[in-house]
Amino acid sequence: MAAQLLFFYFGGVTIAGAIVAVTSRNIVYSALSLLVAFIHIAGIYVLLNAEFIAAVQILVYAGAILVLYLFVLMLFNPSEEKLYLHKQAKVGIFLGVVVLFMMLFAGYKTEIIGKGGPLTAQAVKEMGHTRVIGNALFTDYLFPFEVASLILLVAMFGAIVLAGRGVHRKKGPAGRIDLSYRDKLPKKSSETPEEVIVGR
Amino acid sequence: MIPLDWYLTLGFFLFAIGVAGVLVRRNIIMVLLSIELILNSANITFVAYSNYHQSINGQMMVFFIMTMAAAEVALGLALVIALFRTRSTLNVDQINLMKW
């Protein structure tokens, strides 16, 4: 009974946070309510006997991803938007409801026909959840684990290349233009290039 | 004991809210945040099935989804910053350079 009450608390706050995140005019409020939702999803994982996943959820989602979003939001000087919804917002909500009922139908009509594995709740509790995860991660899932590290490396390079300095910048309100190249240029060039490379 | 259907329903509701958020919002950062909601709903479903099927494989999948989400956020936000530098807007209606 206590578990069911906890489920209703965690699930209700998750849904409420998600709805506030999608409907709020202020985008910082959206990010913060999504933070609340992610933390309560970690509570759902604890109810499902997945303590390590819950810790990773709080560390990675609430700790890293949402903070990255908030940093980027602060760069853009967010303000309340008047036109924050599309004109076709009703169609979007309708499609969301259609997707919901399709998934509910599919989920309730599906039966689990496979045989259950050996890891009952009692077995996981005896071994420890982190140990079970580690055993699986470094034996059966060793190759996907290495591929995941490669994906993170490539994403890091990509983020540095896309958002870092040294890229071509056009004249505009957002970019700062470095004019020190003029002193080094020979005097014969008359036209000013619109696009300059900011030195590293 | 909490039945499996409750967790599935929670995941489905989060998925629907995420899909509606992707379709409804104009700000491109909100579109990315709604994609995070969709990924989290998939994670809840994976962990629920993993628990009720007494297998660890679903939770390993959650692990790799989180890795993918972290990479996606880094790349997506870098793209948003590059886009804002060149176009000075975050509105997806105005980002129509490749629209035919």
Side-chain angles (χ1 to χ4, degrees), chain A residues 13-36:
Chain A
V13 177
T14 302
I15 298 278
I19 289 176
V20 170
V22 168
T23 56
S24 170
R25 278 178 189 272
N26 194 330
I27 197 164
V28 177
Y29 291 170
S30 295
L32 289 176
S33 66
L34 209 60
L35 182 67
V36 172

Side-chain angles (χ1 to χ4, degrees), chain A residues 3-126:
Chain A
Q4 294 177 2
L5 282 180
L6 277 175
F7 175 83
F8 277 117
Y9 168 66
F10 285 127
V13 177
T14 302
I15 298 278
I19 289 176
V20 170
V22 168
T23 56
S24 170
R25 278 178 189 272
N26 194 330
I27 197 164
V28 177
Y29 291 170
S30 295
L32 289 176
S33 66
L34 209 60
L35 182 67
V36 172
F38 284 169
I39 289 174
H40 284 80
I41 287 174
I44 295 282
Y45 292 156
V46 171
L47 285 181
L48 282 165
N49 299 320
E51 296 90 3
F52 187 71
I53 298 287
V56 172
Q57 169 86 13
I58 288 184
L59 282 177
V60 173
Y61 265 110
I65 292 180
L66 253 295
V67 170
L68 195 60
Y69 269 112
L70 280 174
F71 269 129
V72 174
L73 282 181
M74 298 305 170
L75 279 183
F76 289 134
N77 187 17
S79 57
E80 295 209 357
E81 306 156 358
K82 277 189 178 172
L83 290 170
Y84 73 116
L85 296 180
H86 279 298
K87 266 179 282 183
Q88 64 269 24
K90 285 174 186 168
V91 183
I93 292 169
F94 173 72
L95 283 179
V97 174
V98 168
V99 165
L100 173 65
F101 278 101
M102 276 171 59
M103 292 185 74
L104 283 176
F105 184 73
Y108 286 138
K109 288 293 177 187
T110 307
E111 292 178 7
I112 304 178
I113 55 174
K115 261 195 300 185
L119 290 171
T120 59
Q122 191 63 36
V124 171
K125 202 169 285 182
E126 279 173 8

